[in-house]
Amino acid sequence: MKILLVGSGGREHALAWKISQSPLCEHLICAPGNAGICEIADCANIPADDIVGLIGLIQRESIDFVVVGPEAPLALGLVDALTEQGIASFGPTEAAAMLETSKAFTKDFCTRHDIPTARYDVFTELLDAKKYLGEMSAPYVIKADGLAAGKGVVIAESKAEAETELEEFFSGKFGDAGTCVVIEEFMTGFEISFFAISDGKSVLPLIEAQDHKRAFDGDKGPNTGGMGAYSPVPGFDQAMSKRVMTEIIIPTIEGMAKENAPFVGVLFAGLMMTGSGPKLIEYNVRFGDPECQLLMRRLDSDILEIFIAASQGKLKSLLAPKWNKNPVVNVVLAAKGYPGKYKKGTKIIGVDAANLLDGVQVFHAGTRRADDGSLQASGGRVLNITAEGKTIDQAVARAYSAIDEVIEWPDGFCRRDIAKQAL
Ligand code: AMP
Ligand code: GLY
């Protein structure tokens, strides 16, 4: 089959790496891709959110199957447009993607289907929102309803701070995404990213990972797309996976089907493991990044076969996927200054040599090839150093020795404490 993969991050490099190993894949094209993806697939320079451009490419290249990595094209209805054209794809429709594109929709959906999540209310008027603070206690969790590039959540320590934040939300801090606001109860516990794949009716549990969202060690500094992750997460066992499936994931898939928006794709549940069990923080309708890189490294089955079965409503006919039990970590190398301002075009050396180290596999994110063939940074998050080990200590040591001893990129930085909680 001829496959198109949409996206350009570390998540997509890992997907491309895994898809290209499938016997079902004869030719892989990626739009727009990055320097790492270009080594294993043909890259077409069309942005992931250019729906018209992507459809033109798919028709010109007679693509058989489309896999969508990021949320933006899903939110813009790429899958709906492909279905109209009779092109098979893996990913949710625009209506099913509401689970990520509207936090208010998701919270109300949880209420309708009895899915455990933080107590909340939804506001479109500043005065009502401020009044509700009186019913809650600090810290106050305030969220923009719409997509805000991972920045639309504020945790305010005092009521005064929460009121100021609400004023900023309603005066357009997040554009339209912030004119509808969710205020919710603060939950304590540890966070897990849990993944499942659905064909709209049945649902296949995948595995869990733990992300590190803050820029600096010790969970300090601003929120980012994710600075590193590890999997498996000690303490998250088979029984907990079953509980998450029964209490959260299955009711969601059944609820979406009942509401005439059947969910086909990857469901990524951000969970808080609280004293009274797992509770949903948020849904995403795609793989996580940096989590996907770990899932692809641990998966011993054919990912493309799973995607195709899901798109055809035939997940039930598949055998359960096999997972490598060895721990894998992913340490993100980002450009100095990220998630704020950073330089582009700085030179990176040593990635090929790092890939020769035991257990190490580097996935590119924001990279490009310069005219002289050298590797350059072209984004905020730039490289993912993944490493497998017999133990989590070994995996961590391997990832950091690739970074410290082999890769040379003076303009980059990473967190030094990825997976520390697990050690
Ligand atoms: P979200 O984009 O909804 O995943 O929120 C971003 C981050 O804010 C989460 O990863 C949590 O660390 C934190 N967060 C969101 N909602 C809550 C909540 N209700 N209680 C505690 N922390 C939260
Ligand atoms: N790692 C979190 C995300 O992909 O949204």
Side-chain angles (χ1 to χ4, degrees):
M1 288 175 95
K2 205 165 175 182
I3 313 292
L4 175 71
L5 170 66
V6 178
S8 61
R11 167 181 51 210
E12 285 76 24
H13 189 187
L15 287 171
W17 174 78
K18 195 69 190 164
I19 289 171
S20 64
Q21 293 167 30
S22 166
L24 299 169
C25 177
E26 282 155 356
H27 184 181
L28 177 62
I29 300 181
C30 187
N34 59 37
I37 296 174
C38 288
E39 291 172 8
I40 53 172
D42 286 328
C43 289
N45 194 14
I46 296 167
D49 59 358
D50 178 359
I51 306 295
V52 174
L54 289 172
I55 293 201
L57 171 74
I58 289 161
Q59 289 169 337
R60 274 196 308 283
E61 294 286 346
S62 307
I63 297 290
D64 299 304
F65 191 71
V66 181
V67 177
V68 188
E71 66 276 18
L74 298 169
L76 291 169
L78 176 59
V79 166
D80 309 69
L82 293 175
T83 306
E84 247 170 57
Q85 306 271 337
I87 301 159
S89 66
F90 176 73
T93 59
E94 185 178 348
M98 286 277 281
L99 285 173
E100 175 162 358
T101 56
S102 170
K103 292 193 190 287
F105 167 83
T106 301
K107 296 295 285 190
D108 290 343
F109 176 89
C110 287
T111 304
R112 290 197 291 281
H113 299 282
D114 219 6
I115 294 164
T117 186
R119 189 164 67 89
Y120 76 103
D121 211 338
V122 178
F123 301 93
T124 51
E125 299 290 337
L126 176 62
L127 280 180
D128 298 338
K130 280 188 171 176
K131 209 166 133 201
Y132 186 67
L133 295 177
E135 294 178 32
M136 308 294 271
S137 53
Y140 302 89
V141 182
I142 303 170
K143 301 184 175 185
D145 172 54
L147 290 181
K151 299 188 183 85
V153 176
V154 169
I155 302 192
E157 296 302 330
S158 69
K159 199 167 164 194
E161 192 191 325
E163 286 179 344
T164 309
E165 283 294 344
L166 283 173
E167 281 159 20
E168 289 180 11
F169 271 67
F170 281 102
S171 56
K173 180 176 177 179
F174 295 112
D176 283 346
T179 53
C180 174
V181 165
V182 174
I183 300 178
E184 64 181 47
E185 165 201 14
F186 182 82
M187 299 185 282
T188 45
F190 67 97
E191 285 181 50
I192 289 279
S193 303
F194 183 82
F195 300 87
I197 286 186
S198 178
D199 62 7
K201 303 175 300 248
S202 49
V203 54
L204 192 67
L206 303 180
I207 52 172
E208 82 290 351
Q210 190 155 53
D211 190 9
H212 298 63
K213 287 189 173 143
R214 301 294 197 98
F216 309 130
D217 287 15
D219 292 328
K220 301 267 177 5
N223 258 320
T224 71
M227 293 299 293
Y230 62 97
S231 174
V233 181
F236 192 95
D237 56 11
Q238 208 51 40
M240 188 50 80
S241 167
K242 277 219 170 97
R243 182 166 178 192
V244 170
M245 288 299 290
T246 309
E247 295 179 10
I248 297 177
I249 306 291
I250 292 171
T252 300
I253 298 303
E254 289 177 352
M256 291 300 280
K258 266 190 213 135
E259 297 192 10
N260 295 317
F263 184 89
V264 178
V266 176
L267 190 59
F268 163 2
L271 301 174
M272 188 69 85
M273 310 307 291
T274 73
S276 52
K279 291 189 178 178
L280 184 72
I281 303 173
E282 65 158 1
Y283 271 132
N284 296 303
V285 298
R286 49 165 176 87
F287 280 113
D289 185 343
E291 293 96 325
C292 179
Q293 294 83 318
L294 306 171
L295 269 62
M296 292 308 108
R297 287 219 50 192
R298 289 192 57 207
L299 181 65
D300 281 334
S301 305
D302 182 346
I303 191 70
L304 189 54
E305 188 183 19
I306 299 173
F307 289 163
I308 292 170
S311 80
Q312 295 175 340
K314 292 180 182 164
L315 262 191
K316 263 206 164 129
S317 66
L318 278 189
L319 297 173
K322 290 201 176 71
W323 300 97
N324 181 345
K325 288 200 168 48
N326 285 349
V328 182
V329 303
N330 180 7
V331 180
V332 171
L333 279 175
K336 280 181 186 164
Y338 172 81
K341 270 195 163 170
Y342 53 83
K343 269 197 277 183
K344 289 187 182 177
T346 56
K347 200 169 172 179
I348 306 165
I349 301 173
V351 171
D352 291 340
N355 276 325
L356 298 176
L357 299 176
D358 275 345
V360 173
Q361 177 74 47
V362 180
F363 294 118
H364 294 226
T367 63
R368 67 169 175 234
R369 281 282 158 210
D371 292 338
D372 65 1
S374 64
L375 189 66
Q376 290 186 346
S378 64
R381 290 190 293 171
V382 172
L383 292 173
N384 297 263
I385 316 305
T386 71
E388 185 200 321
K390 286 208 170 60
T391 61
I392 187 91
D393 307 61
Q394 188 180 43
V396 167
R398 284 174 166 181
Y400 284 110
S401 82
I403 290 168
D404 295 335
E405 289 156 32
V406 182
I407 292 175
E408 288 177 49
W409 182 35
D411 297 282
F413 79 100
C414 66
R415 276 182 62 159
R416 304 296 314 185
D417 63 347
I418 302 302
K420 211 168 187 176
Q421 289 138 295
L423 290 175

